[in-house]
């Protein structure tokens, strides 16, 4: 599995006339894919994005950006096709249901199996993030935060913990990955507002969110 001529040729083609950011993303994918294969690990869109983060490679792309880009998926699929089929080995904490296992077994190619595993992994991550957000909102409510009436004073938190700030920033980064943006204090999807202006303002008044540096990390 040490010969990656075909995969690197695809990467080289993708980098032609590409922006520096796209070139960096392609290079990161190559490093991540080849590292996963050398480690005898599965190659999936999610695992590639996670390996890029684990290796400390700057410039992404994140999993959602990969899902949204056909060229990047083509590059990763070329590495997936190089890995021989292997038995699925999901851990106890991420065990698929019997229905999901049946669907997995019915898929005919390693590429389709990999894509299905990515769907399951993204679902599990979404559930985990919603639990984090639910806990965070509950904490705000329990510390005199208010999410409805405009004229209710919200006491400022002078020294929010680094963990609280990190949770908020991670949540907004995930929103950006899923196509949301922050415009004039309002989270929007395309041109459609989400009615979140009071929530964003509350986070800012509590010193938990600025939003200044997050969009620089969007792919």
């Amino acid at each position: 599995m040490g010969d990656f001529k075909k995969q690197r040729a695809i990467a080289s083609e993708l980098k032609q006339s590409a922006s520096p950011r796209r070139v960096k993303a392609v290079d990161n994918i190559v490093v991540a894919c080849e590292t996963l294969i050398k480690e005898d690990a599965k190659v999936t869109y999610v695992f590639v994005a996670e390996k890029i983060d684990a290796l400390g490679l700057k410039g992404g792309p994140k999993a959602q950006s990969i899902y949204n880009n056909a060229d990047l998926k083509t590059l990763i699929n070329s590495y997936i096709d190089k890995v021989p089929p292997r038995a699925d080995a999901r851990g106890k904490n991420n065990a698929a249901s019997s229905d999901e296992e049946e669907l997995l077994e019915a898929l005919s190619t390693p590429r389709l199996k990999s894509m299905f595993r990515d769907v399951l992994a993204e679902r599990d991550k979404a559930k985990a993030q919603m639990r984090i957000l639910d806990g965070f909102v509950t904490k705000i409510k329990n510390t005199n935060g208010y999410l409805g009436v405009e004229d209710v004073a919200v006491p400022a938190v002078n020294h929010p913990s680094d963990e609280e700030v990190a949770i908020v920033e991670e949540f907004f980064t995930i929103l950006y990955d899923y196509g949301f943006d922050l415009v004039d204090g309002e989270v929007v999807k395309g041109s459609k507002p989400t009615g979140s202006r009071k929530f964003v303002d509350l986070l800012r008044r509590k010193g938990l969110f600025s939003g200044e540096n997050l969009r620089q990390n969007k792919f």
Side-chain angles (χ1 to χ4, degrees), residues 58-130:
K58 303 300 182 182
K62 295 185 179 296
Q64 190 61 33
S65 296
I66 294 172
Y67 279 118
N68 292 337
N69 190 285
D71 288 340
L72 299 184
K73 289 193 289 187
T74 295
L75 176 58
I76 295 174
N77 288 341
S78 71
Y79 282 99
I80 291 173
D81 290 342
K82 191 173 181 62
V83 180
R86 56 186 294 175
D88 189 42
R90 291 168 62 86
K92 290 182 179 179
N93 293 334
N94 292 315
S97 70
S98 58
D99 288 341
E100 291 165 349
E101 292 288 358
E102 185 176 353
L103 288 171
L104 184 64
E105 290 301 319
L107 296 175
S108 58
T109 68
R111 182 183 301 179
L112 290 175
K113 291 179 185 291
S114 176
M115 292 174 66
F116 186 69
R117 292 190 189 100
D118 277 343
V119 170
L120 296 180
E122 286 296 324
R123 178 202 62 188
D124 293 341
K125 282 188 174 182
K127 288 181 178 179
Q129 291 299 331
M130 288 306 297

Side-chain angles (χ1 to χ4, degrees), residues 136-146 154-155 157 164 206:
F136 180 74
V137 172
T138 299
K139 185 171 183 178
I140 286 179
K141 289 180 178 179
N142 291 339
T143 56
N144 297 322
Y146 193 79
V154 179
V157 175
E164 290 171 333
K206 282 183 167 288

Side-chain angles (χ1 to χ4, degrees), residues 13-28:
E13 183 177 349
L14 294 180
K15 291 191 292 183
Q16 292 181 11
S17 302
S19 67
R21 192 169 191 176
R22 174 55 59 85
V23 169
K24 181 62 175 175
V26 171
D27 286 340
N28 287 349

